[in-house]
C-alpha cells in the first residue's frame, strides 16, 4: 500500500479536530470469560498486537503533500511500532463494567497523537480468567462507522482465521491506456455539473435550516474537553415485536426511544420541555452495495425529536413520518446533507475553514444519533465470546451529547458519549433509555396481548 490522498470528507474531519474536540470514533467491546481456564491477559494483549499489526490500513499515517496545495495523504509509517498503539490498562473498581465504562470515558478524552497512525486499542482487564474489554479508538478521517467495523473486525478470532485462509495476491487487472475514453470524459463532466448543482441546493437548504437563536442548553453547553460514557441495553426481539405492531423501521423506533428518554431526563432535571426539538443529526451511509470501503461516504438527515409529545406511540409516529419525508427526499438533499459539500471544496478550504465549519455545527443540530451495523455472526477474541459492543461517536464543537446504537447477540447496545461537565448525570439518561423502551414495549405489545387491535400504520 503506497500513498493515497485523503478524500475530501476525510480531510475535513482531520482539520475539524482540536484538543478539546477530538475527532475519533470509539467502541467498547466487552468479552465474557472463555470456557475452561480462560485467556491470560498477556496472551490477549499479544494477540491484539499481532492482529492489529497485520491490518494494512492501521499502518498508515497522515502526511501533508505539496499537491494539491493544502492536501494530505495516507502513507505507510516506516517506523510503525504496534506497541505504541495497543496497551493494557487495569480496572481497580470492584464492579468491572462500571470501572471499564468510567475508564473508557477518560481515555476517549485524549486526542490521538498526530504523526502516528491515528488509532489506539486498550485492553481493559480485570482479574485473570474474568471478563475484559477492548476500547477501540479510530480517527474519523480513517473510518466512518461502517469502515470502522470492517477495519476493527480483524482483531476477532473468526475474521483473523478467515483472513489467514484467504488466497494471497491480487487479481490481474487488464492494462489500460493513460488516454481517457472520450465517452468517459463526457460522463465525468456531466457528473461534475450534477454534483455542483446538488451542492448549491444543499447549501441553500443549510442556510434556511440554520438557527440564529442559539440558546444554551445541556446539549449545547460550552465544551470542557472532558468525556463521560454511559451504556444501555435493549432487547432486540422486543424491538422487532414493536416494529411488527407499529410499522416503520427499527431505526425509527430507536429514535423515538431516544426522544422519550430525553423527555424523561429533562423532566427529572426540572427543565422546561421545548416546543420543538432538540434537533438530531442522523447519519446515513452513501456507500453503494458491494462497493469498495474507502474514504468517508456520509450524508445525514435532520430530525426534530418530538420530546414535547407525552405519548410514546405518538412520538414514534411523529418520528416515522419525519423520517419518511427525509427518505423520500433522499440523502443528497436538504440541510442534513451538508457533508456532501466537502467534495466541492478545495483542500485549502478544509485546512483554513474547518474552525468556522466546526463552530457552525450547533446552528444546524443539537445532538448526534447514529446506528452502526455489526456482523450477525458470533465473534470472539482468544476464545472469549463477545458479549456486547457499545459504539461511541465523537462530539462536534458546541455539542454535548452523541448517541450511537448497534445490534449484536439479540441485544441493542447503546453508547452515550457526553461532555463530562455539561452532562454529569449521563447515567440517568442511560437509565431513561431503558425505561422508555420498556414502556413503549408494554404499551404496544401489552395492548396486543390484552386483545387490543394494532394501530393502523402512519402513511
Amino acid at each position: 500500500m503506497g500513498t493515497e490522498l485523503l478524500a475530501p470528507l476525510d480531510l475535513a474531519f482531520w482539520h475539524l479536530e482540536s484538543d478539546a474536540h477530538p475527532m475519533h470514533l470509539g467502541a467498547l467491546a466487552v468479552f465474557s470469560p472463555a470456557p475452561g481456564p480462560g485467556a491470560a491477559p498477556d496472551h490477549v494483549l499479544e494477540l491484539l498486537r499481532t492482529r492489529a499489526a497485520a491490518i494494512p490500513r492501521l499502518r498508515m499515517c497522515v502526511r501533508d503533500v505539496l499537491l494539491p496545495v493544502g492536501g494530505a495523504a495516507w502513507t505507510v509509517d516506516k517506523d510503525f511500532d504496534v506497541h505504541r498503539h495497543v496497551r493494557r490498562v487495569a480496572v481497580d473498581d470492584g464492579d468491572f463494567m462500571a470501572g471499564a465504562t468510567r475508564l473508557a470515558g477518560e481515555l476517549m478524552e485524549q486526542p490521538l497523537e498526530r504523526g502516528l497512525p491515528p488509532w489506539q486499542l486498550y485492553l481493559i482487564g480485570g482479574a485473570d480468567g474474568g471478563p475484559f474489554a477492548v476500547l477501540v479508538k479510530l480517527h474519523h478521517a480513517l473510518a466512518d462507522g461502517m469502515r470502522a467495523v470492517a477495519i476493527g473486525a480483524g482483531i476477532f478470532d473468526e475474521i483473523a482465521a478467515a483472513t489467514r485462509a484467504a488466497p494471497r495476491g491480487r487479481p490481474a487487472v487488464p492494462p489500460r491506456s493513460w488516454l481517457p475514453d472520450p465517452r468517459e470524459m463526457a460522463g465525468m463532466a456531466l457528473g461534475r455539473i450534477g454534483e455542483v448543482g446538488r451542492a448549491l441546493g444543499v447549501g441553500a437548504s443549510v442556510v434556511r435550516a440554520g438557527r440564529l437563536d442559539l440558546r444554551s442548553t445541556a446539549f449545547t453547553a460550552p465544551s470542557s474537553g472532558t468525556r463521560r460514557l454511559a451504556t444501555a441495553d435493549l432487547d432486540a426481539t422486543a424491538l422487532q415485536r414493536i416494529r411488527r405492531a407499529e410499522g416503520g423501521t427499527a431505526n425509527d423506533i430507536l429514535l423515538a426511544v431516544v426522544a422519550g428518554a430525553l423527555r424523561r431526563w429533562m423532566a427529572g432535571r426540572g427543565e422546561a420541555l421545548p416546543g420543538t426539538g432538540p434537533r438530531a443529526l442522523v447519519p446515513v451511509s452513501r456507500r453503494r452495495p458491494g462497493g469498495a470501503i474507502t474514504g468517508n461516504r456520509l450524508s445525514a438527515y435532520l430530525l426534530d425529536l418530538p420530546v414535547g409529545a407525552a405519548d410514546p406511540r405518538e412520538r414514534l409516529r411523529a418520528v416515522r413520518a419525519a423520517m419518511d419525508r427525509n427518505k423520500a427526499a433522499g440523502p443528497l438533499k436538504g440541510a442534513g446533507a451538508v457533508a456532501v459539500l466537502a467534495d466541492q471544496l478545495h483542500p485549502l478550504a478544509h485546512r483554513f475553514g474547518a474552525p468556522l465549519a466546526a463552530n457552525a455545527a450547533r446552528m444546524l443540530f443539537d445532538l448526534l444519533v447514529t446506528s452502526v451495523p455489526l456482523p450477525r455472526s458470533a465473534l470472539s477474541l482468544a476464545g472469549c465470546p463477545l458479549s456486547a459492543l457499545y459504539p461511541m461517536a465523537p462530539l462536534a464543537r458546541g455539542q454535548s451529547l452523541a448517541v450511537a446504537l448497534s445490534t449484536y447477540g439479540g441485544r441493542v447496545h447503546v453508547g452515550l458519549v457526553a461532555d463530562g461537565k455539561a452532562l454529569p448525570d449521563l447515567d440517568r439518561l442511560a437509565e431513561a433509555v431503558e425505561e422508555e423502551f420498556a414502556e413503549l414495549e408494554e404499551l404496544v405489545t401489552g395492548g396486543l396481548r390484552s386483545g387490543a387491535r394494532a394501530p393502523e400504520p402512519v402513511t
Side-chain angles (χ1 to χ4, degrees):
M1 185 177 291
T3 298
E4 169 195 338
L5 287 175
L6 268 70
L9 190 53
D10 298 352
L11 190 63
F13 285 135
W14 188 249
H15 291 306
L16 280 170
E17 184 170 64
S18 68
D19 288 343
H21 301 90
M23 288 299 297
H24 49 256
L25 309 170
L28 183 65
V30 182
F31 296 87
S32 301
D42 288 344
H43 171 64
V44 178
L45 182 65
E46 194 56 37
L47 199 60
L48 281 172
R49 287 172 173 163
T50 300
R51 291 178 178 175
I55 300 173
R57 179 56 75 175
L58 296 185
R59 291 175 169 267
M60 306 290 282
C61 58
V62 176
R63 298 280 189 261
D64 290 341
V65 296
L66 293 176
L67 293 174
V69 177
W74 293 108
T75 185
V76 175
D77 182 5
K78 297 179 181 178
D79 299 318
F80 176 78
D81 181 358
V82 73
H83 293 80
R84 294 177 174 177
H85 298 271
V86 184
R87 300 172 183 171
R88 182 185 176 193
V89 288
V91 175
D92 298 326
D93 199 309
D95 182 336
F96 170 75
M97 193 60 205
T101 303
R102 175 190 53 77
L103 185 57
E106 295 173 358
L107 293 171
M108 287 295 287
E109 292 180 11
Q110 304 169 11
L112 294 164
E113 184 176 347
R114 297 215 166 197
L116 297 177
W119 63 276
Q120 288 282 158
L121 291 180
Y122 295 93
L123 173 61
I124 301 175
D128 287 2
F132 64 91
V134 175
L135 174 65
V136 183
K137 291 169 57 175
L138 297 174
H139 199 285
H140 211 335
L142 179 66
D144 55 21
M146 188 177 295
R147 195 183 192 197
V149 171
I151 293 173
I155 69 170
F156 295 110
D157 296 340
E158 296 76 10
I159 310 301
T163 301
R164 288 195 303 270
R168 297 185 178 274
R170 298 180 180 179
V173 177
R176 179 176 177 178
S177 170
W178 63 271
L179 291 173
D181 186 289
R183 291 169 296 181
E184 184 178 305
M185 287 292 291
M188 291 173 59
L190 289 173
R192 183 67 176 172
I193 293 171
E195 290 176 0
V196 172
R198 182 165 56 240
L200 291 173
V202 171
S205 297
V206 169
V207 172
R208 289 194 297 268
R211 300 168 299 178
L212 298 180
D213 180 14
L214 297 179
R215 290 170 292 180
S216 181
T217 68
F219 310 116
T220 58
S223 175
S224 67
T226 60
R227 293 291 181 270
R228 286 182 65 87
L229 170 65
T231 63
D233 292 271
L234 312 176
D235 185 349
T237 302
L239 177 66
Q240 292 306 318
R241 286 198 296 266
I242 298 171
R243 182 182 179 185
R244 286 193 296 269
E246 291 288 318
T249 68
N251 201 48
D252 294 342
I253 297 167
L254 294 172
L255 287 166
V257 167
V258 171
L262 291 174
R263 176 185 173 87
R264 289 170 181 264
W265 176 74
M266 293 173 73
R269 279 182 148 214
E271 295 185 15
L273 297 175
T276 58
R279 184 182 289 175
L281 185 76
V282 184
V284 57
S285 176
R286 293 166 54 204
R287 298 190 188 282
R288 296 178 179 177
I293 304 181
T294 57
N296 277 276
R297 299 289 295 169
L298 291 172
S299 185
Y301 298 131
L302 293 180
L303 173 68
D304 286 328
L305 296 172
V307 299
D311 182 78
R313 284 178 293 190
E314 182 183 347
R315 289 194 289 271
L316 174 54
R317 293 165 192 166
V319 166
R320 180 183 172 189
M323 289 300 289
D324 283 348
R325 290 192 295 270
N326 277 328
K327 294 169 189 173
L332 298 181
K333 292 184 180 179
V338 63
V340 305
L341 297 179
D343 294 341
Q344 308 304 320
L345 298 178
H346 191 276
L348 279 175
H350 290 302
R351 185 177 291 269
F352 295 111
L356 295 176
N359 289 324
R362 63 176 299 198
M363 296 178 65
L364 283 180
F365 63 96
D366 300 301
L367 71 155
L368 177 78
V369 184
T370 183
S371 294
V372 180
L374 293 180
R376 294 185 180 181
S377 57
L379 299 171
S380 61
L381 175 60
C384 300
L386 175 68
S387 58
L389 193 148
Y390 302 97
M392 289 171 276
L395 296 180
R397 191 173 310 207
Q399 267 87 41
S400 302
L401 176 65
V403 182
L405 313 100
S406 63
T407 301
Y408 174 80
R411 306 290 291 175
V412 179
H413 303 295
V414 185
L416 300 98
V417 176
D419 183 280
K421 290 188 176 179
L423 277 73
D425 54 346
L426 187 65
D427 289 341
R428 176 64 196 116
L429 179 56
E431 293 172 359
V433 170
E434 295 181 349
E435 293 166 358
E436 177 65 21
F437 183 80
E439 180 178 352
L440 179 60
E441 182 197 7
E442 179 59 30
L443 283 173
V444 173
T445 63
L448 293 178
R449 286 194 299 269
S450 65
R453 184 178 178 183
E456 293 295 325
V458 178
T459 58

